[in-house]
Amino acid sequence: MSEKLLEVKDLHVMYRTDDDNVYALNGVDIAVEKGKTLGLVGETGAGKTTLALSIMRLLPDRVGFITKGGITLEGRDLLSLTEADMRTLRGSDISMIFQDPMTSLNPIHTVGDQIAEVIALHNQQASKAEVERKVDEMLEMVGIPAIRKSEYPHQFSGGMKQRIVIAIALACNPRLLLADEPTTALDVTIQAQVLEMMNELKQKLQTSMILITHDLGIVAQICDQVAIMYAGEVVEIGTVEDIFEGTQHHPYTVGLFGAIPNMAEESPRLHPIDGLMPDPSVVLPGCPFAERCPHAQDKCRESRPAPVAVNNGMHRVKCWLAKSALEG
């Protein structure tokens, strides 16, 4: 049986603004096993990036607050650590690839210096020569000649910048990598190369990963497990086989797959999910998807369902419809 590296339990996150309180996460439960990749899927505003920032303890200061729940890394409670302790963990145990490689790099420092900074910070006994050797090794590992380490970010293409960001994230062999839409703004060819490289590095370094994406094709390609997020909740979670080949799903998951164009059929337009995500400043008593769900009943609007185990038991769906099907 695989060991859990990361466990998030009943996580609630709120953003306090001048206008309103925004309830970004509302009881998220996920776990990442050692050496495995969990895909986080959902439309914009579902809370995927907030979840990643919560794990890194990088929520905006005096604005973002974890109000309830727990986050543990191999049994170590991350929420009880001081900021100084978290700084030692970031980069060495947990690393994050942020969403936009164009703005993730400092334009006035060479890419070699930016990789070296991370290595030197977490390996203070290393000599300058050892740090430089590691910089060369990381650049070569992501397919960039080491001779280019003295160049600046503007001298690289978007795909190469993304490779450099990945090199920085992996420089200290973290046990957990959080990748927030790592292929954003990349063309299809470069996207495939970056994903293949990330998969190879994950296997080589035995790194666990949380991959945040809108692309179900990417999820099918490199993920082991999938969590479908909607309005700050995980409405369905299971293995890739459960999500892509299972017969019982949350209506939101069905809607996501229904919105994917079918290359074998001619259609005048795509089939989006009707309606909009609920206002995150309002706490709803029932299922947040109820107003968009074609199967919604009165009890869906009145109370929230608990996750129900379907198929092999590892596949869980947070829906009254799934509960009714099991009770039969």
Side-chain angles (χ1 to χ4, degrees):
M1 185 177 176
S2 298
E3 284 186 77
K4 290 179 181 177
L5 176 70
L6 176 82
E7 196 163 12
V8 177
K9 288 187 175 180
D10 194 28
L11 189 66
H12 290 69
V13 173
M14 177 176 66
Y15 292 113
R16 290 178 183 158
T17 69
D18 292 337
D19 299 321
D20 262 315
N21 291 333
V22 175
Y23 302 94
L25 296 181
N26 304 295
V28 170
D29 292 285
I30 62 164
V32 182
E33 297 176 356
K34 290 183 179 179
K36 301 292 186 180
T37 297
L38 171 70
L40 284 184
V41 180
E43 60 194 292
T44 299
K48 304 183 299 298
T49 298
T50 294
L51 176 55
L53 292 175
S54 300
I55 294 168
M56 293 288 288
R57 292 267 306 274
L58 288 175
L59 290 170
D61 193 28
R62 296 188 296 276
V63 175
F65 299 89
I66 295 173
T67 57
K68 185 182 177 183
I71 304 172
T72 56
L73 183 72
E74 285 193 312
R76 189 178 186 185
D77 182 8
L78 298 187
L79 300 185
S80 67
L81 298 182
T82 65
E83 179 56 28
D85 289 335
M86 279 305 302
R87 278 199 296 270
T88 65
L89 282 180
R90 295 186 197 115
S92 59
D93 286 22
I94 311 173
S95 281
M96 185 167 177
I97 301 171
F98 292 94
Q99 205 167 95
D100 186 1
M102 309 300 175
T103 58
S104 296
L105 297 170
N106 192 322
I108 64 171
H109 293 287
T110 67
V111 297
D113 284 347
Q114 294 185 59
I115 299 172
E117 180 182 13
V118 177
I119 297 167
L121 181 65
H122 294 287
N123 298 273
Q124 296 183 3
Q125 305 303 317
S127 66
K128 188 173 181 180
E130 289 171 332
V131 171
E132 288 300 314
R133 277 197 298 273
K134 184 66 174 179
V135 170
D136 294 348
E137 178 189 326
M138 292 308 302
L139 283 172
E140 295 286 351
M141 185 183 289
V142 297
I144 296 175
I147 196 172
R148 299 196 64 182
K149 66 182 177 183
S150 58
E151 296 181 17
Y152 292 85
H154 72 269
Q155 295 174 277
F156 294 86
S157 67
M160 295 184 87
K161 285 180 186 175
Q162 188 63 288
R163 289 169 182 265
I164 293 164
V165 169
I166 292 170
I168 293 172
L170 294 174
C172 295
N173 296 351
R175 290 180 288 166
L176 177 65
L177 177 65
L178 309 177
D180 191 357
E181 299 191 35
T183 56
T184 298
L186 303 182
D187 62 57
V188 176
T189 304
I190 301 301
Q191 173 178 292
Q193 291 174 1
V194 168
L195 287 172
E196 183 180 359
M197 181 197 67
M198 286 178 64
N199 215 16
E200 288 174 357
L201 292 176
K202 187 196 80 169
Q203 293 172 4
K204 179 179 178 181
L205 302 173
Q206 283 299 297
T207 300
S208 301
M209 182 162 65
I210 293 179
L211 176 66
I212 298 171
T213 182
H214 294 280
D215 193 329
L216 287 166
I218 292 174
V219 170
Q221 183 180 345
I222 69 171
C223 292
D224 302 294
Q225 294 177 297
V226 187
I228 308 293
M229 290 193 69
Y230 182 79
E233 296 183 23
V234 173
V235 295
E236 184 169 355
I237 189 168
T239 65
V240 169
E241 290 77 14
D242 290 333
I243 303 301
F244 282 80
E245 298 175 8
T247 55
Q248 287 182 281
H249 296 292
H250 192 280
Y252 180 61
T253 306
V254 175
L256 287 180
F257 277 94
I260 300 173
N262 190 336
M263 302 302 290
E265 296 178 5
E266 284 192 20
S267 178
R269 58 180 297 160
L270 299 177
H271 303 285
I273 302 171
D274 292 333
L276 298 172
M277 204 177 293
D279 183 350
S281 66
V282 178
V283 179
L284 298 172
C287 173
F289 190 62
E291 295 306 318
R292 304 174 71 183
C293 180
H295 308 288
Q297 305 169 25
D298 287 342
K299 66 179 176 182
C300 298
R301 298 179 179 87
E302 293 166 359
S303 59
R304 298 201 173 200
V308 175
V310 298
N311 298 334
N312 60 10
M314 299 297 291
H315 181 193
R316 299 193 304 278
V317 178
K318 201 173 185 180
C319 179
W320 285 117
L321 192 67
K323 185 175 176 61
S324 299
L326 285 178
E327 292 173 349

